[in-house]
Amino acid sequence: MNDLYDRLKAQKIKIIEMPKWGPYLRKKWEDQFAAHLSEEDKKSIFLHDTGGSCGYLWHLFSYMKKDCLERDKAEVAFTKQLKNDCYVFYQHSDYALLLEKASMLKTDDLIEEQDIYIVDKGFKWTYIQTHDIGYCGPYFSSNTD
């Protein structure tokens, strides 16, 4: 996390730390990107931590429950995406960031980051880098298509 913060700061991206916003942002992300799934569907793809199994919001894409771009295509889409204000949050941390004027944000900034979600402030698009790079993800999806 400190490395990411330093890389963003070096690019003159304004960073607002939001130490306890993770649960709110994960719920909002789920409401925006997985609203079409029933609670049973969410359980079947392990969207949440339950019964000893570790859930991940990005299972929405790995289980093909929502259209997305994967791997190189996801990275290209994220690079091309207009990025103004973005939230950055993690699957298993309450720590989050708000990035203002994030046009310089790119995939290279996310080196060594795992289970990280980037979403525009309006939750119209998202980019996720998983801990299973090469097998699952990264993913890019848009709610505006």
Side-chain angles (χ1 to χ4, degrees):
M1 172 54 79
N2 287 339
D3 291 340
L4 174 62
Y5 188 93
D6 292 343
R7 284 190 294 275
L8 299 176
K9 204 72 161 161
Q11 293 183 40
K12 309 284 192 248
I13 294 173
K14 183 176 179 188
I15 304 166
I16 300 170
E17 293 185 82
M18 304 165 52
K20 299 181 192 248
W21 273 56
Y24 169 78
L25 292 171
R26 285 189 296 274
K27 177 67 172 125
K28 176 89 171 167
W29 189 98
E30 178 182 339
D31 291 346
Q32 294 299 311
F33 291 95
H36 62 288
L37 296 181
S38 69
E39 287 306 312
E40 190 59 37
D41 289 337
K42 291 175 185 179
K43 285 181 185 176
S44 74
I45 65 169
F46 309 100
L47 201 68
H48 304 114
D49 292 336
T50 55
S53 66
C54 197
Y56 293 94
L57 294 174
W58 55 261
H59 283 173
L60 180 67
F61 304 117
S62 64
Y63 281 85
M64 296 180 272
K65 298 295 184 182
K66 182 166 176 65
D67 288 341
C68 69
L69 298 173
E70 297 182 55
R71 297 181 178 86
D72 293 345
K73 289 180 182 177
E75 290 179 0
V76 168
F78 178 67
T79 298
K80 289 182 178 180
Q81 181 64 49
L82 178 63
K83 296 179 258 332
N84 289 319
D85 297 345
C86 303
Y87 292 113
V88 176
F89 61 97
Y90 294 84
Q91 183 70 51
H92 300 293
S93 172
D94 291 345
Y95 186 79
L97 301 170
L98 172 61
L99 308 181
E100 294 182 347
K101 297 182 176 96
S103 62
M104 299 301 292
L105 179 64
K106 53 193 176 303
T107 58
D108 289 348
D109 297 320
L110 306 175
I111 290 178
E112 296 183 23
E113 297 294 325
Q114 295 185 351
D115 301 319
I116 187 172
Y117 297 75
I118 294 97
V119 64
D120 73 299
K121 202 170 181 183
F123 287 77
K124 291 182 174 57
W125 59 262
T126 188
Y127 177 80
I128 302 107
Q129 186 165 291
T130 73
H131 65 269
D132 282 335
I133 291 294
Y135 179 66
C136 292
Y139 301 107
F140 181 89
S141 185
S142 173
N143 279 333
T144 58
D145 294 339

